[in-house]
Amino acid sequence: MWPYIGLLFLVLGGALWAQGVGIGILQPDSAAILHLESNKKGLLLPRLTRAQRDAIANPPWGLVIFNTQDSVVEYFNGRCWLPAYAEGCDDCNFTLTINPTSGTIDHVNTDTVRTTVTLTQIAGTPQPIALQVYSTLPPYTSYSFNPTVLTGSGSATLTIAVEPLAPAGTYPVIIQAVCGNTIKNVIYTLTIDSCYRVNIFNSTTDYNLTAANPQIPTTQPVCVVVHTYPGVEVSASSTAVPAFTTGNLHPQSVVAILHEGAFLGRGGNGASGAPLPNYSLPGQPGGDAVHITVKTYLYPQGGYIFGGGGGGASAGVEETFNFNTPIGNLSFSIGVSAGGGGGAQLGQGGRPSGTFTIGYFAPGQDGSAGLTARGGMGGILSRTLSYSAGPITVNVTPQGFGGQGGDYGYPGRAGLVQVCIGGVITLPWPFPNIPINIGCLPPGGATLQPGGDAGYAIRRLGGVPLSPYPDGPYLTNFIKGRIGP
């Protein structure tokens, strides 16, 4: 009987080998050597870590496992272990993670956020993996990777910088890594806090941000965005105050100025004339357009920031003349002076001050106002004066001018003056008249005092930073005057 039983198993084994083995199914697919069927259970492959996988000695071609570290089914192709989706050992396969996964910009304590991007190449030869931000960031937001390319495994730092004008909200930032045909994405969540908003719709003078907006706290750090609209002119009533100041904000506050209007510093007054010893005086400095007291961002989108022009200097002399004539000695003094012109933006021209021994004063012109303002002309000395003493007539002809007032961003100028003396001694007939020709003093004219400096476009009080403009003189279409402390 036993020979018959052995023959039965041989026949059945041959049949099973011919049609395949079915588990959970009576009729396995004829193309399958093993056909599994279930609506409750799955196929459980051997679960190995990378170290356990790599410890398999001489793995045969086609051996399959589940990699527990990378959560992927892998197979051995005779050369290397590959994820099920990979085609060859030189494919670039990696994992991508970030830490932290979110960050918040409040503009006061933070204007940047950073996250560490970690790449781990899990298959293939080490290859360059490029990093980029795939999503569109909100306006006034920028990013950088350091480094931007990693080879194989490593870490990079993503820095996102946000300016105060960026719109508040929460934004998904898609960080993408690309290696060959492999692309991986991970999402970083960026939150941008809001700032106080101040709009300047109407022209005004001496604008103080905190005084004009009492709702803005001054005892705690805040972020403020100021928007001046087109056609708005903010000017100063005198050179002692700026046209615009950020006021008494907390020192750690931040201000952004979106500027489409005009900030105009007051023009310096032209110098007056005076009797001795100050026939010539320096011009008055122009006023500042803007004072900033906290960290400030400037966005001059068609707006203008002009420091007031410096006032022109007055120019004057007093000369004493002593000379002998056929009828005796003659001695007299003559004083003349010309006022400086006022600086651009309503600087007053120089006026007379005090009295002169003999002579006159030529007043300077006022500076004009508005965006196209110009400095006023200095007074012009051109009128001839006559002085008589008996038969002697002396003609005094001053020549010169006061310093011109400066245009926006320019200092006032110095003046020039001299006095030319001539005359005649009239004798009774039949004696001829005797001409007097003393000449001009001082020879070549005298340039005496300087004009006033131009006002600052932006003065940084306390050394607070201004972005993105470095310190220095500016004479552009939109900024005229110095920026600095």
Side-chain angles (χ1 to χ4, degrees):
M1 180 176 181
W2 288 109
Y4 296 105
I5 294 175
L7 179 61
L8 177 61
F9 275 107
L10 288 174
V11 172
L12 290 174
L16 288 173
W17 181 260
Q19 70 179 24
V21 176
I23 299 178
I25 187 170
L26 295 176
Q27 296 293 327
D29 192 292
S30 60
I33 191 172
L34 176 63
H35 185 160
L36 308 178
E37 190 77 24
S38 175
N39 58 10
K40 296 180 180 180
K41 299 180 180 180
L43 173 65
L44 186 59
L45 294 174
R47 293 165 289 179
L48 284 72
T49 65
R50 289 187 211 136
Q52 292 170 330
R53 176 201 66 189
D54 294 341
I56 298 175
N58 300 316
W61 180 82
L63 186 65
V64 179
I65 68 160
F66 179 80
N67 185 322
T68 57
Q69 284 183 259
D70 302 323
S71 297
V72 65
V73 173
E74 293 181 324
Y75 68 98
F76 191 75
N77 70 346
R79 176 184 165 198
C80 65
W81 289 96
L82 287 175
Y85 53 81
E87 296 179 356
C89 294
D90 295 326
D91 288 355
C92 185
N93 297 294
F94 59 90
T95 60
L96 169 64
T97 60
I98 59 172
N99 184 39
T101 59
S102 63
T104 299
I105 297 289
D106 65 6
H107 303 294
V108 174
N109 298 302
T110 57
D111 56 10
T112 58
V113 290
R114 293 177 175 83
T115 186
T116 299
V117 182
T118 301
L119 297 172
T120 303
Q121 192 166 343
I122 58 177
T125 58
Q127 298 182 47
I129 304 175
L131 295 169
Q132 65 180 4
V133 169
Y134 184 71
S135 53
T136 301
L137 295 176
Y140 302 100
T141 303
S142 60
Y143 74 90
S144 63
F145 285 100
N146 184 26
T148 56
V149 176
L150 293 170
T151 299
S153 301
S155 296
T157 299
L158 169 64
T159 301
I160 302 176
V162 181
E163 299 176 34
L165 287 189
T170 299
Y171 303 92
V173 179
I174 301 175
I175 302 170
Q176 188 173 85
V178 180
C179 180
N181 295 324
T182 303
I183 299 175
K184 296 287 183 71
N185 297 315
V186 66
I187 295 179
Y188 179 87
T189 302
L190 172 66
T191 300
I192 302 175
D193 289 347
S194 60
C195 297
Y196 285 91
R197 298 277 169 166
V198 172
N199 296 316
I200 304 178
F201 295 112
N202 301 309
S203 297
T204 186
T205 58
D206 306 341
Y207 189 91
N208 184 304
L209 179 61
T210 52
N213 299 277
Q215 76 278 12
I216 298 177
T218 58
T219 58
Q220 66 189 52
V222 294
C223 170
V224 184
V225 174
V226 180
H227 186 181
T228 56
Y229 280 77
V232 171
E233 287 189 8
V234 180
S235 56
S237 61
S238 75
T239 57
V241 294
F244 174 92
T245 176
T246 54
N248 191 33
L249 289 170
H250 187 281
Q252 291 179 307
S253 295
V254 175
V255 170
I257 302 174
L258 180 61
H259 190 46
E260 298 181 275
F263 295 143
L264 306 177
R266 183 82 172 197
N269 292 338
S272 62
L276 283 174
N278 296 315
Y279 272 87
S280 298
L281 296 171
Q284 182 186 54
D288 301 337
V290 174
H291 284 179
I292 60 173
T293 58
V294 296
K295 181 179 180 180
T296 300
Y297 294 80
L298 176 62
Y299 307 89
Q301 298 188 355
Y304 305 89
I305 302 177
F306 294 164
S314 59
V317 294
E318 182 171 13
E319 293 288 346
T320 299
F321 298 91
N322 294 288
F323 57 95
N324 296 320
T325 73
I327 59 174
N329 293 330
L330 180 65
S331 177
F332 69 94
S333 295
I334 181 72
V336 295
S337 185
Q345 186 57 22
L346 300 176
Q348 293 183 356
R351 304 291 191 261
S353 174
T355 58
F356 298 95
T357 306
I358 300 175
Y360 79 98
F361 179 86
Q365 296 179 352
D366 295 343
S368 55
L371 281 175
T372 58
R374 302 296 301 271
M377 296 294 295
I380 298 177
L381 296 167
S382 61
R383 188 178 70 184
T384 298
L385 304 175
S386 294
Y387 171 74
S388 297
I392 300 175
T393 299
V394 178
N395 296 319
V396 180
T397 304
Q399 297 178 352
F401 47 85
Q404 181 176 344
D407 294 336
Y408 284 124
Y410 285 89
R413 299 180 185 176
L416 179 71
V417 66
Q418 65 180 0
V419 178
C420 299
I421 305 295
V424 63
I425 301 175
T426 304
L427 299 178
W429 188 87
F431 300 102
N433 294 337
I434 301 174
I436 300 172
N437 187 10
I438 300 177
C440 299
L441 296 174
T447 300
L448 303 172
Q449 296 287 347
D453 291 333
Y456 275 66
I458 302 174
R459 189 185 290 268
R460 301 188 298 107
L461 300 182
V464 297
L466 173 68
S467 180
Y469 292 89
D471 290 351
Y474 288 78
L475 291 172
T476 69
N477 290 335
F478 302 106
I479 301 178
K480 297 183 185 297
R482 176 169 290 277
I483 294 177

